[in-house]
């Protein structure tokens, strides 16, 4: 049984040049003598907490502190200039996820989860020294058959990435630059982009899913004068809410699901049954009876959230991944796939009751208690227009790339690995856009699931999602559309950096490749997929 997945992967290189799904995949996989079955999900070896049995709303919602620079250091490219420098140390620590649970060992930036919030102003660059002070043994089961996590690598490695930031390649958290405990890297963040809810997290090759699950996440709020001029809720009325799901053993420790093959413990998606909000299970927050700005970040490995308010009032969504929408939108439900963000306003004045819950279907996440009005809080009006959002014109694209989103299944249809464009991580680079050029990427989803696809460096717009003929693709590699394209809904019509590629659809996105030439990555943000080949390099070529 050992490494059946790995053998499959190696053996299939030539035969399965393209990922297949369903019956087609089975037909192809069958004749392979050594392509057995993917390991199945193992029963947890220890009893897990049933979150439904825990008291609700007994812990205050933690608000991560705003990071303060420790020093000033010379600008790497311009030594005469000194920049603020933050030190972010990754280390193990223990924290209670809930009042009635024993302390949980976690890994976090500055010994907290989420880590301190990095706040940036457009045009004001800074440096971050990312220090790996983690233990040398991993908290969670490493799968050494995964590409980039082989036994010859240090078991614990880390490299930080700011999701959604336009930074040069040498500060972007290239997954293979992950480094062991005792070392650090100094990264430079130009902050030369529009205000947006960004977030930072680990990106180490082959173990990103484990490092993030262990707690290596934090918010990064980028501001700009145009946004500040809108008079949106700020200060104590602005809360980052970082959401993720976990399985917790009754001894308080994190449980990460594994397969029944100890030599190849990878599972295709890790879902928890407990939703943590800023690192707490069922917390409460006390608020003033006024409007708040919530920065919702989905930091889960695989879970998508469908958030709503228990009083059936809408959120007012003002922003998505890469900043403000054109105009505020009333939304009863906010759906977020892993990696995605939503910037929403909620008015806690004039509620019918003293509290309201932020909910996921079937489960509360956070209780918001509204304090009695002590003073008159002037209800700031929300501007009806937030910013101009010029559409990128598909006619300006110099190239359209057809890129498959696929998975390789075993004989029973269980996922064994995922691919993009039919390629493995280590295959030669195929995506090589020219600096400042506009391209369209058409993501052809051959699988039965939605995959949140994320590109580093750039922001993009969704052109459309369009149904296509899967069989024509599987048989002849012919891209045959079977219906008209569906334009993105208004909440998806702003600048994005992560897009849901739906099954049976071609998801078409358009972007201008602004930034410094170099190697970056694009990948699925389901972290188990990302770690198991659903990540590819791309190379930004210098403009001619
Ligand atoms: Cu949030 Cu490459 O990732
Ligand atoms: Cu995926």
């Amino acid at each position: 049984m050992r490494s059946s997945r790995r053998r499959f992967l190696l053996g299939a290189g030539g035969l399965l040049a393209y990922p297949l799904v369903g019956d087609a995949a089975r037909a192809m996989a069958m004749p392979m003598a050594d392509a057995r079955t993917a390991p199945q999900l193992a029963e947890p070896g220890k009893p897990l907490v049933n979150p439904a049995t825990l008291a609700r709303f007994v812990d205050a919602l933690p608000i991560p502190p705003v990071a303060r620079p420790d020093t000033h250091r010379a600008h790497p490219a311009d030594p005469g200039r000194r920049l603020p420098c933050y030190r972010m140390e990754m280390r193990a620590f223990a924290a209670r996820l809930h009042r009635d649970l024993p302390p949980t060992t976690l890994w976090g930036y500055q010994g907290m989860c989420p880590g301190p919030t990095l706040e940036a102003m457009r045009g004001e660059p800074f440096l971050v020294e990312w220090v790996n002070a983690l233990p040398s043994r991993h908290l969670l089961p490493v799968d050494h058959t995964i590409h980039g996590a082989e036994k010859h690598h240090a078991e614990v490695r880390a490299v930080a990435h700011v999701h959604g930031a336009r930074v040069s390649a040498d500060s972007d958290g290239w997954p293979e630059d992950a480094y062991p405990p005792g070392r650090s890297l100094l990264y430079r963040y130009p902050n030369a982009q529009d205000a947006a809810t960004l977030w930072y997290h680990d990106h180490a090759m082959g173990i990103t899913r484990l490092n993030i699950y262990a707690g290596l996440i934090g918010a990064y709020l980028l501001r700009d004068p145009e946004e500040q001029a809108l008079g949106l809720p700020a200060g104590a009325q602005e809360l980052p809410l970082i959401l993720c799901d976990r399985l917790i053993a009754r001894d308080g420790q994190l449980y990460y699901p594994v397969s029944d093959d100890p030599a190849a413990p990878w599972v295709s998606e890790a879902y928890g049954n407990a939703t943590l909000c800023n690192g707490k299970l069922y917390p409460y927050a006390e608020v003033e009876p006024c409007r708040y700005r919530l920065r919702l970040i989905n930091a889960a490995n695989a879970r998508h959230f469908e958030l709503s308010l228990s009083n059936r009032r809408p959120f007012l969504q003002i922003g998505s991944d890469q900043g403000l929408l054109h105009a505020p939108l009333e939304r009863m439900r906010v759906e977020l796939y892993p990696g995605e963000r939503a910037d929403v306003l909620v008015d806690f004045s004039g509620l019918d009751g003293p509290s309201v819950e932020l909910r996921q279907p079937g489960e509360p996440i956070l209780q918001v208690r509204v304090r009695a009005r002590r003073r008159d809080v002037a209800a700031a009006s929300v501007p009806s227009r937030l910013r101009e959002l010029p559409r990128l014109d598909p006619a300006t694209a110099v190239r359209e790339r057809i890129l498959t989103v696929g998975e390789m299944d075993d004989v029973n249809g269980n996922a064994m690995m995922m691919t993009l464009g039919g390629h493995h991580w280590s295959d030669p680079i195929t995506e090589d856009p020219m600096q400042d050029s506009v391209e369209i990427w058409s993501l052809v989803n051959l699988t039965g699931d939605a995959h949140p696809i994320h590109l580093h460096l750039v922001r993009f717009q969704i052109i459309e999602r369009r149904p296509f003929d899967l069989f024509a693709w599987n048989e002849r590699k012919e891209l045959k559309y079977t219906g008209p394209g569906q334009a993105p809904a208004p909440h998806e019509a702003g600048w994005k950096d992560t897009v849901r590629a739906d099954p049976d659809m071609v998801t078409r996105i358009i972007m201008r490749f602004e930034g410094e030439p170099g190697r970056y990555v694009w990948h699925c943000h389901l972290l188990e997929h990302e770690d198991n080949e659903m990540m590819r390099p791309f190379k930004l070529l210098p403009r001619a």
Side-chain angles (χ1 to χ4, degrees), residues 269 405-406 418 420 450-453 523-526 529-530 534:
E269 278 115 33
V405 174
M418 321 284 164
L420 292 172
H451 300 259
I453 302 296
H523 59 88
C524 176
H525 223 288
L526 301 183
H529 296 190
E530 170 182 348
M534 206 173 237

Side-chain angles (χ1 to χ4, degrees), residues 16 75 207 224 419 441 458 477 511:
L16 281 181
H75 189 301
I207 52 171
D224 66 25
T419 57
W441 287 18
V458 291
K477 299 292 160 301
M511 52 265 161

Side-chain angles (χ1 to χ4, degrees), residues 392-440:
L392 282 177
D393 179 0
T396 62
V398 298
R399 177 147 189 189
E400 174 168 0
R401 297 180 194 264
I402 309 295
L403 297 160
T404 55
V405 174
E407 74 184 38
M408 292 186 185
D409 292 347
D410 71 357
V411 292
N412 297 318
N414 297 310
M416 299 175 90
M417 63 175 286
M418 321 284 164
T419 57
L420 292 172
H423 294 294
H424 294 177
W425 164 257
S426 54
D427 289 341
I429 291 181
T430 41
E431 287 71 67
D432 55 352
M434 180 87 73
Q435 198 180 13
D436 293 328
S437 69
V438 175
E439 293 200 355
I440 294 170

Side-chain angles (χ1 to χ4, degrees), residues 202-425:
D202 188 69
H203 220 301
M205 195 74 205
I207 52 171
T208 294
R209 69 194 184 291
L210 306 175
N211 288 356
I212 290 182
Y213 197 91
L216 291 168
I217 53 179
Y220 187 120
L221 305 180
L222 184 45
R223 307 183 186 282
D224 66 25
E226 290 82 351
E227 186 184 278
Q228 288 185 318
L230 296 174
L232 297 168
Q237 273 80 55
E238 182 186 31
L239 305 176
L241 297 180
I242 305 184
L243 306 176
C244 60
D245 60 333
R246 296 290 182 268
L247 293 167
I248 307 161
R250 290 209 203 129
D251 62 5
Q253 301 314 306
L254 292 180
Y255 177 77
Y256 182 88
V258 290
S259 78
D260 61 8
D261 179 359
W266 176 85
V267 295
S268 61
E269 278 115 33
Y271 292 106
N273 59 6
T275 302
L276 300 179
C277 182
N278 291 352
K280 285 282 183 199
L281 184 49
Y282 306 134
Y284 69 86
E286 289 193 348
V287 303
E288 299 294 331
C290 61
R291 195 173 276 122
Y292 275 68
R293 179 178 188 184
L294 308 178
R295 310 278 202 142
L296 303 166
I297 300 173
N298 184 345
N301 283 41
R303 170 83 55 201
H304 75 273
F305 294 104
E306 274 182 57
L307 304 168
S308 62
L309 296 169
S310 60
N311 60 357
R312 299 177 194 284
R313 286 229 215 151
F315 301 99
L316 200 58
Q317 185 170 356
I318 57 169
S320 61
D321 300 342
Q322 285 283 325
L324 295 170
L325 298 171
H326 175 60
L329 286 173
E330 283 200 355
R331 306 205 54 216
M332 294 307 293
R333 270 179 187 243
V334 169
E335 182 190 61
L336 286 181
Y337 270 71
E340 289 187 309
R341 288 87 71 207
D343 195 345
V344 302
L345 304 182
V346 179
D347 189 356
F348 295 117
S349 68
L351 292 186
D352 305 332
S355 71
V356 56
E357 290 165 16
L358 175 70
R359 300 185 62 85
Q360 163 80 343
E363 181 200 27
I365 293 175
L366 167 72
Q367 183 190 54
V368 179
R369 298 176 189 162
V370 185
R371 290 195 191 103
R373 190 179 289 263
R374 269 180 262 145
R375 58 194 154 85
D376 262 283
V377 191
S381 65
V382 180
S384 58
R385 287 285 171 268
L386 298 165
R387 72 160 156 178
E388 288 312 311
L389 269 181
R391 299 297 298 170
L392 282 177
D393 179 0
T396 62
V398 298
R399 177 147 189 189
E400 174 168 0
R401 297 180 194 264
I402 309 295
L403 297 160
T404 55
V405 174
E407 74 184 38
M408 292 186 185
D409 292 347
D410 71 357
V411 292
N412 297 318
N414 297 310
M416 299 175 90
M417 63 175 286
M418 321 284 164
T419 57
L420 292 172
H423 294 294
H424 294 177
W425 164 257

